[in-house]
Amino acid sequence: MEIKFYQDRCLISSLPEHIKHDLNSCSLILEENSKLDFCGLIIDKETTSIFLPRNSNNFNVQNFKELGSSLIKAIYKYAQNRERFSLRDGYSDRLIGDSYLSLAFTLLKDFVENGLYIRHKYEIKRNQGKICWKRTINKIQSFPSGNSPIYLDTIGKKKNISLDSEITRIHARIIRELDDVIGWIYFSDDSRIQHELADINLPENSDEAQIDCIERELNNVYSDRDMNLLKDLVKFLTLKNKISNNNIVIGINKFHSMWENMIDNCLISKFDINNLLAKPCYKINSQYQIASQKGGRTDTVLKAQEHDIFAIIDAKYYGARELAQLPGWPDIIKQFFYALALKDIFPSAQINNYFLFPGDSNNVESVHLQDPKTGLIQDEKYPPIKCIYIEPMFLIDHYVTGKKLTHLSEELLAN
């Protein structure tokens, strides 16, 4: 499998035509935009194109599979939790291919934990299997012996396992296809699925006939696992038919929402100040009415455990290499306001203020306000906002594995 790397926010004109065609089919290319807005991957028959977050520089290209796997696992994790906060916080990102990814991961996880779907057949046998006393008493002649009868023969129920049912073949086919397409994402090493399922024949019918077969089988199963698996197989075959003529595109646009969420998820010593901040109040018909929902909402605030030291962090998914790529006036004023508001609540506290950018350049050190007449830097009145950079794939690795950015958190709270 050939893998090619690109970056979010690259020039659309620099991309190959077939890549632009796939992105355009997902409405990811807009006429008014010259730069791409997409992180994720595109899988075709010969090549996998991976779009890393902007400013992803500090990584080993020899580990291309690990990079792509970590990125998609991070998107999957974000998608799983996204419904809890996206509407509340007004996020406007869009997930692409999340239905395919979720079904694929669910089916692979089920296979690892439970194996293939197997149809159990029960046969009534004489002197074999588990004895069925009701059948034995009704069918077999007994002989008296003291106070109880003796049965020289018994009738039993013997369970046979069939690996040759059409449902088993359908299940094996789908798992093999998923392993071939995204097994390198889901599994850390060779899954050996192709070897394990090599002896299972392919289904005999079309996808539509396979769906009908699964739906008929649903009438004969009762366990939760079997019902959920069969329903997921139907969903997958239905979805596969919809995208059969297209390459697989999985990812997210407007990555800044995920960037903010990952940073908030990985930092420690977080402190909720939003309920402490002053809320706007409107005087309407001579009565004051608080608009709580219109109050300030900081991205992330940290507090030292033993000291009144706070860190206000605004995660910015900006290029942050030159003036045109840096936060504008509204973002800067907001950070200064949060620092002043927190100082009002904790007058003796030390307030550290930060912008957190992707990358490892560190060329932008801090943000200050300057008097336009005198040229003096007004740090005493408006303490500067420091700029910190973090390599995106380093952050993604922590997010996927559940590790915390302990060292960075301590650095942000330094005295």
Side-chain angles (χ1 to χ4, degrees):
M1 175 179 60
E2 182 184 9
I3 290 189
K4 294 185 177 180
F5 283 105
Y6 304 92
Q7 280 199 15
D8 184 20
R9 311 305 295 165
C10 67
L11 288 172
I12 296 173
S13 59
S14 68
L15 298 173
E17 287 301 319
H18 69 281
I19 294 295
K20 288 193 281 188
H21 176 270
D22 291 332
L23 292 168
N24 193 51
S25 67
C26 297
S27 301
L28 289 168
I29 295 181
L30 303 178
E31 291 184 3
E32 62 268 24
N33 294 339
S34 61
K35 294 184 177 181
L36 183 65
D37 186 357
F38 175 72
C39 287
L41 55 79
I42 300 174
I43 303 174
D44 61 31
K45 294 180 179 179
E46 299 177 355
T47 307
T48 295
S49 302
I50 300 176
F51 293 81
L52 298 177
R54 71 190 311 173
N55 296 352
S56 297
N57 301 313
N58 187 24
F59 59 81
N60 183 359
V61 294
Q62 301 302 319
N63 298 328
F64 55 83
K65 285 190 176 181
E66 289 83 349
L67 290 172
S69 175
S70 294
L71 175 60
I72 298 305
K73 285 179 178 177
I75 292 173
Y76 175 74
K77 181 176 180 179
Y78 173 75
Q80 295 297 103
N81 297 303
R82 178 172 174 263
E83 294 303 321
R84 295 187 295 104
F85 51 76
S86 60
L87 294 179
R88 180 193 67 194
D89 291 344
Y91 287 4
S92 57
D93 55 35
R94 181 166 67 91
L95 295 169
I96 299 93
D98 53 315
S99 296
Y100 177 92
L101 181 64
S102 179
L103 270 175
F105 276 22
T106 297
L107 287 168
L108 289 172
K109 181 176 184 291
D110 173 85
F111 176 77
V112 170
E113 295 177 352
N114 301 298
L116 274 181
Y117 178 87
I118 297 174
R119 176 178 287 171
H120 300 283
K121 293 183 178 180
Y122 293 91
E123 296 181 286
I124 305 302
K125 296 284 188 178
R126 186 182 289 261
N127 298 324
Q128 293 184 40
K130 185 178 180 181
I131 297 174
C132 178
W133 285 111
K134 184 176 181 180
R135 290 179 183 272
T136 299
I137 292 170
N138 290 334
K139 300 289 186 180
I140 302 298
Q141 181 178 353
S142 64
F143 298 91
S145 175
N147 295 326
S148 61
I150 290 179
Y151 293 89
L152 299 181
D153 293 303
T154 60
I155 295 179
K157 182 187 290 187
K158 185 178 181 181
K159 181 169 69 174
N160 292 325
I161 296 175
S162 173
L163 289 174
D164 197 38
S165 73
E166 182 70 359
I167 302 296
T168 301
R169 291 194 290 266
I170 295 170
H171 189 197
R173 168 223 167 177
I174 290 175
I175 294 300
R176 280 193 296 249
E177 288 182 5
L178 288 175
D179 180 61
D180 185 53
V181 176
I182 63 171
W184 61 277
I185 297 174
Y186 187 82
F187 300 102
S188 300
D189 302 309
D190 180 11
S191 66
R192 294 189 58 78
I193 281 177
Q194 305 298 332
H195 174 74
E196 290 178 18
L197 303 182
D199 295 332
I200 308 296
N201 295 325
L202 289 172
E204 299 176 352
N205 301 308
S206 65
D207 286 355
E208 291 77 9
Q210 290 175 40
I211 291 173
D212 291 339
C213 181
I214 297 171
E215 290 178 339
R216 288 195 302 271
E217 184 75 4
L218 269 167
N219 296 323
N220 302 317
V221 298
Y222 302 97
S223 74
D224 288 341
R225 185 261 171 166
D226 288 349
M227 287 191 289
N228 291 333
L229 171 62
L230 294 177
K231 289 176 182 178
D232 285 339
L233 293 178
V234 170
K235 289 178 185 177
F236 185 82
L237 287 173
T238 303
L239 180 62
K240 183 175 179 294
N241 288 336
K242 291 180 180 179
I243 62 174
S244 60
N245 295 326
N246 300 312
N247 295 326
I248 296 173
V249 182
I250 300 173
I252 182 174
N253 79 331
K254 301 190 185 304
F255 189 76
H256 66 271
S257 300
M258 183 169 162
W259 175 256
E260 295 170 2
N261 182 260
M262 288 193 298
I263 289 174
D264 184 73
N265 186 277
C266 292
L267 292 173
I268 62 172
S269 303
K270 289 188 291 185
F271 182 75
D272 184 8
I273 68 162
N274 290 324
N275 60 332
L276 302 178
L277 295 175
K279 302 294 187 294
C281 184
Y282 296 88
K283 190 174 183 180
I284 303 175
N285 296 326
S286 302
Q287 292 185 339
Y288 292 100
Q289 299 182 30
I290 297 177
S292 299
Q293 71 277 12
K294 297 181 182 295
R297 294 187 61 86
T298 59
D299 280 359
T300 302
V301 174
L302 311 183
K303 182 184 183 302
Q305 290 186 355
E306 299 180 0
H307 306 282
D308 275 351
I309 302 176
F310 294 85
I312 305 173
I313 300 110
D314 190 4
K316 290 296 184 187
Y317 185 63
Y318 290 7
R321 289 176 175 170
E322 55 189 44
L323 280 177
Q325 298 176 331
L326 293 170
W329 181 250
D331 292 319
I332 295 171
I333 290 301
K334 182 181 69 173
Q335 285 302 102
F336 282 131
F337 170 79
Y338 285 145
L340 292 172
L342 195 56
K343 194 71 172 177
D344 285 339
I345 301 170
F346 301 96
S348 61
Q350 173 185 320
I351 312 296
N352 299 336
N353 216 340
Y354 299 95
F355 284 132
L356 202 51
F357 300 121
D360 56 2
S361 61
N362 294 318
N363 59 311
V364 181
E365 301 174 13
S366 52
V367 182
H368 307 259
L369 284 189
Q370 183 184 48
D371 190 308
K373 294 182 179 180
T374 64
L376 295 176
I377 301 298
Q378 299 180 310
D379 284 355
E380 185 173 344
K381 187 175 182 181
Y382 302 101
I385 304 169
K386 299 177 183 177
C387 298
I388 302 290
Y389 291 76
I390 181 169
E391 210 287 316
M393 297 311 297
F394 177 77
L395 172 62
I396 282 175
D397 176 69
H398 280 68
Y399 180 69
V400 170
T401 59
K403 294 184 292 187
K404 297 296 182 181
L405 294 167
T406 304
H407 179 74
L408 176 60
S409 300
E410 293 172 350
E411 178 185 345
L412 296 174
L413 288 169
N415 194 335

